[in-house]
Amino acid sequence: MRRSRRVVAPDLFWDAPSRLVLGDGAVLLGGFACQEGAALLRALAAVAEAAPFRHMVTPGGHCMSVAMTNCGAVGWVTDRTGYRYDRTDPESGLPWPEMPGVFADLAAEAAAQAGFAGFMPDACLINRYEPGARLSLHQDKDERGFDAPIVLVSLGLPATFLFGGVKRSDPPRRVALRHGDVAVWGGPSRLAFHGVAPLAEGEHPMLGRQRINLTFRRAL
Ligand code: SIN
Ligand code: FE2
């Protein structure tokens, strides 16, 4: 059964066939991006050619296991001086590639579906995971305001998403993310802690040995 295979946490429920409630203002839209998968990956290839994936360094001096790039008016970056949104790619000194229309449209549709009409992202962080890569629990709070939701699109190899509450001590639920799944969190869940467990080995028909994640935000 789809339901029992997909969800590890017993306290989560589906309120529609492919809509899993993760919290107040937080939902997983199962397979929402599947149809656009190929178009998203074509647009991604152009972005990654202009602004290649790189492993950034945290303020504490750790090299991140996830490789990142960005598109949109601003991009999220980290280095020894801290986390920030920057209008230019520090590697090239050029503005980040424009956000492809297929990205922005999908993010807006997913947000609307989740109850957040009118979402207009100005930043898309693109994360690339190879087996073993992980993202520790954190809040997205480098944006100027928290009125807009976060929209996450998972492509390629499956991953275990960790979705907690607004306190670090709230135990995170483990949610399986598959190719084409979209998670949206905003409102009372906007500052929920979240992360990604180490990616398991695998081979995806479209992406091979990797997972790509798009995170859309309103940063400015
Ligand atoms: C994020 O937390 O910003 C992205 C999560 C992911 O890469 O799946
Ligand atoms: Fe995040």
Side-chain angles (χ1 to χ4, degrees):
M1 272 247 334
R2 184 174 193 162
R3 181 186 289 219
S4 52
R5 267 196 295 130
R6 176 191 274 279
V7 181
V8 185
D11 55 331
L12 300 176
F13 64 93
W14 298 86
D15 72 349
S18 52
R19 194 184 146 99
L20 178 70
V21 176
L22 300 176
D24 193 5
V27 289
L28 173 67
L29 306 172
F32 191 84
C34 274
Q35 273 198 333
E36 299 297 337
L40 293 171
L41 292 175
R42 273 196 303 275
L44 168 71
V47 169
E49 198 173 306
F53 284 100
R54 77 291 307 266
H55 292 272
M56 298 187 199
V57 174
T58 65
H62 297 286
C63 181
M64 298 187 75
S65 60
V66 177
M68 299 178 165
T69 186
N70 290 277
C71 60
V74 287
W76 185 87
V77 293
T78 172
D79 59 20
R80 290 306 297 246
T81 67
Y83 307 131
R84 67 180 182 281
Y85 281 95
D86 208 314
R87 288 190 178 274
T88 57
D89 176 351
E91 295 286 316
S92 65
L94 298 172
W96 294 104
E98 264 182 45
M99 193 180 305
V102 62
F103 278 30
D105 290 349
L106 180 83
E109 282 162 27
Q113 190 76 222
F116 302 98
F119 178 52
M120 286 197 294
D122 56 12
C124 174
L125 172 66
I126 306 167
N127 290 344
R128 186 184 70 200
Y129 295 71
E130 287 175 352
R134 61 188 288 273
L135 194 64
S136 49
L137 273 189
H138 65 277
Q139 293 168 297
D140 288 4
K141 56 176 187 187
D142 300 320
E143 300 70 36
R144 265 187 209 155
F146 304 130
D147 291 343
I150 306 284
V151 174
L152 171 160
V153 178
S154 194
L155 299 168
L157 285 180
T160 300
F161 189 48
L162 310 171
F163 194 79
V166 295
K167 294 195 303 259
R168 187 176 280 282
S169 57
D170 295 333
R173 275 84 49 95
R174 299 169 70 84
V175 181
L177 290 180
R178 298 183 193 159
H179 177 80
D181 283 351
V182 176
V184 181
W185 64 98
S189 288
R190 173 60 181 74
L191 290 173
F193 278 86
H194 58 281
V196 180
L199 197 76
E201 264 304 338
E203 184 77 26
H204 186 269
M206 286 168 91
L207 273 163
R209 242 176 119 251
Q210 54 181 346
R211 167 179 183 253
I212 297 282
N213 187 79
L214 313 175
T215 311
F216 295 93
R217 310 190 181 107
R218 185 84 200 170
L220 300 180

